[in-house]
């Protein structure tokens, strides 16, 4: 099995010893994305809505760089700073992943996220190559 490293300037650069994504055996494993603007490194967190959209747009950019789309996602993991944010994040998430083709997922609240953001999402997609 050969793995391919995926990185794009259209999503935030990693802030640690990892890559934006790795593909192997037809699958793409996307690292957790947070609300960093890839153009200037600023956090887009003036509202939970803006933060969640930025996270999902970053996820989409990494998937596109790997040669796939949101429709190719098999599973996501959502990490929240507080479970009280679930409803609002879920409503925005549903715009990117309609229920008729939604991936499997889990959503958990954690004690803290990088840069003290409220939302982080990772994904696994299938590209079949």
């Amino acid at each position: 099995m050969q793995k391919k490293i995926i990185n794009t300037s259209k999503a935030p650069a990693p802030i640690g010893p990892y890559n934006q994504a790795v593909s192997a055996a037809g699958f793409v494993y996307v690292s957790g994305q947070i609300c960093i603007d890839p153009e200037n490194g600023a956090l887009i967190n003036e509202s939970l809505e803006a933060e969640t959209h930025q996270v999902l747009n970053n996820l989409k950019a990494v998937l596109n760089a790997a040669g796939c789309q949101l429709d190719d996602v098999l599973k996501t993991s959502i990490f929240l700073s507080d479970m009280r944010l679930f409803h609002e994040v879920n409503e925005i998430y549903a715009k990117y992943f309609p229920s008729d083709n939604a991936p499997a997922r889990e959503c958990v609240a954690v004690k803290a996220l990088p840069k003290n953001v409220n939302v982080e999402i990772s994904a696994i997609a299938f590209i079949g190559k």
Side-chain angles (χ1 to χ4, degrees), residues 78 80-88 106-110:
I78 301 174
L80 301 174
S81 62
D82 188 317
M83 211 51 150
R84 289 177 284 197
L85 306 175
F86 177 84
H87 181 72
E88 187 174 353
E106 68 263 335
C107 181
V108 296
V110 296

Side-chain angles (χ1 to χ4, degrees), residues 16-18 22-23 36 42-43 50-51 59-60 75-76 81 87 96 112 114 123 127:
Y18 61 91
V22 175
S23 67
I36 296 174
L43 292 176
E51 182 175 346
L59 183 72
K60 184 178 176 181
K75 183 178 182 300
T76 60
S81 62
H87 181 72
Y96 291 79
I127 55 175

Side-chain angles (χ1 to χ4, degrees), residues 18-85:
Y18 61 91
N19 288 291
Q20 292 170 331
V22 175
S23 67
F27 292 91
V28 177
Y29 301 87
V30 181
S31 295
Q33 297 297 306
I34 61 173
C35 62
I36 296 174
D37 182 333
E39 291 186 19
N40 60 23
L43 292 176
I44 305 300
N45 60 355
E46 64 272 6
S47 69
L48 182 60
E49 179 180 10
E51 182 175 346
T52 305
H53 279 293
Q54 186 66 50
V55 169
L56 288 160
N57 286 328
N58 290 343
L59 183 72
K60 184 178 176 181
V62 176
L63 288 165
N64 290 165
C68 53
Q69 305 170 31
L70 291 173
D71 285 347
D72 299 314
V73 173
L74 302 174
K75 183 178 182 300
T76 60
S77 297
I78 301 174
F79 304 93
L80 301 174
S81 62
D82 188 317
M83 211 51 150
R84 289 177 284 197
L85 306 175

Side-chain angles (χ1 to χ4, degrees), residues 4-5 8 13 15 17 22 28 38 49 55 60 63 71 73 75 80 89 93 99-100 105 119-120 126:
K4 179 181 176 187
I5 303 301
T8 178
I15 56 176
V22 175
V28 177
E49 179 180 10
V55 169
K60 184 178 176 181
L63 288 165
D71 285 347
V73 173
K75 183 178 182 300
L80 301 174
V89 170
Y93 178 94
S99 60
D100 63 334
R105 79 167 199 206
V119 182
E120 181 174 359
F126 184 68

